[in-house]
Amino acid sequence: MTPEEYADWIEAGRLLFAGPVDFERGVPSMEFLPDEGTPEVAFAGRSNVGKSSLINALTGRNKLARASTEPGRTRELNFFRMGERLRLVDLPGYGYAKAPKAEIGRWTALTRDYLRGRSTLKRVVLLIDGRHGLKPDDKDVMDALDKAAVTYQLVLTKADKVKPTEIEALVAATKDAIAKRPAAHPEIVATSSETGLGIDVLRAEIAALA
Ligand code: GTP
Ligand code: MG
């Protein structure tokens, strides 16, 4: 990209996210999914990695998605509508969560079914904790997405908690780790929902899909 093209790309992201965003519905099981039609971008990752916080940072709306210090906050598929152009989907996390086992099983199965079988799902934003890097259950999710041919983009979260040199090293190592994965988008974005790092780039990445 030339500097002018880059500026236009960033501006397209800014414009999309400056527009309307509304909570559409919370989906507790597959029969309540909204009609397919509008393109969707879903946010997946381990419990507590920062999915709901990232949606709030992207949309500049503090309380749109419910975030919490307690892993297992998001328990339904939460759909947010950006006019006619796009839906953002806040997914329940996987891995450890502070919730009854049966409920965790229910929302994990729901998330898996949604990720595998949604025709309007344009991309999964797969969040990885910038302090810890890829974990075995992240690899399992990537395996499933590769198999289902669902494109995903890795985003490192909580970059404000680690040194810039460390986050750069993690971006490089993670790039190497996904190089041979067929459905992985090659660009990895380091973000912080606290400082706003990387948010403009991620907005642009998402706007390019709308
Ligand atoms: P579940 O819905 O439980 O799967 O979690 P989630 O992935 O939606 O995480 P959530 O956004 O609720 O954030 C979990 C915790 O991490 C909260 O205490 C947030 O304030 C914190 N957090 C999220 N993003 C960041 C970040 O960029 N920097 C810092 N320092 N903390 C963050
Ligand atoms: Mg959440």
Side-chain angles (χ1 to χ4, degrees), residues 129-201:
D129 194 313
R131 298 167 300 183
H132 309 309
L134 289 171
K135 296 281 181 190
D137 44 8
D138 298 317
K139 291 174 183 157
D140 292 345
V141 169
M142 293 194 289
D143 287 345
L145 294 172
D146 282 325
K147 210 169 154 197
V150 176
T151 307
Y152 54 94
Q153 175 163 26
L154 265 53
V155 164
L156 305 181
T157 63
K158 308 192 186 185
D160 56 285
K161 294 275 200 187
V162 290
K163 293 195 193 108
T165 49
E166 282 172 28
I167 202 86
E168 277 165 35
L170 185 59
V171 168
T174 310
K175 261 189 189 171
D176 286 347
I178 63 162
K180 294 208 169 85
R181 289 187 170 271
H185 184 72
E187 296 303 325
I188 295 175
V189 188
T191 65
S192 167
S193 297
E194 293 284 325
T195 68
L197 176 81
I199 298 299
D200 56 347
V201 170

Side-chain angles (χ1 to χ4, degrees), residues 77-131:
L77 315 182
N78 286 318
F79 286 75
F80 302 93
R81 180 175 266 291
M82 312 190 72
E84 295 306 308
R85 288 188 61 192
L86 192 71
R87 283 186 181 120
L88 304 178
V89 189
D90 187 14
L91 298 174
Y94 48 83
Y96 173 78
K98 224 168 174 178
K101 231 180 179 172
E103 200 181 345
I104 297 174
R106 181 188 59 71
W107 85 52
T108 304
L110 172 65
T111 302
R112 192 190 49 220
D113 290 348
Y114 167 80
L115 288 174
R116 272 197 200 138
R118 187 75 171 165
S119 69
T120 41
L121 181 56
K122 295 287 171 209
R123 188 176 293 177
V124 176
V125 177
L126 185 57
L127 279 64
I128 306 296
D129 194 313
R131 298 167 300 183

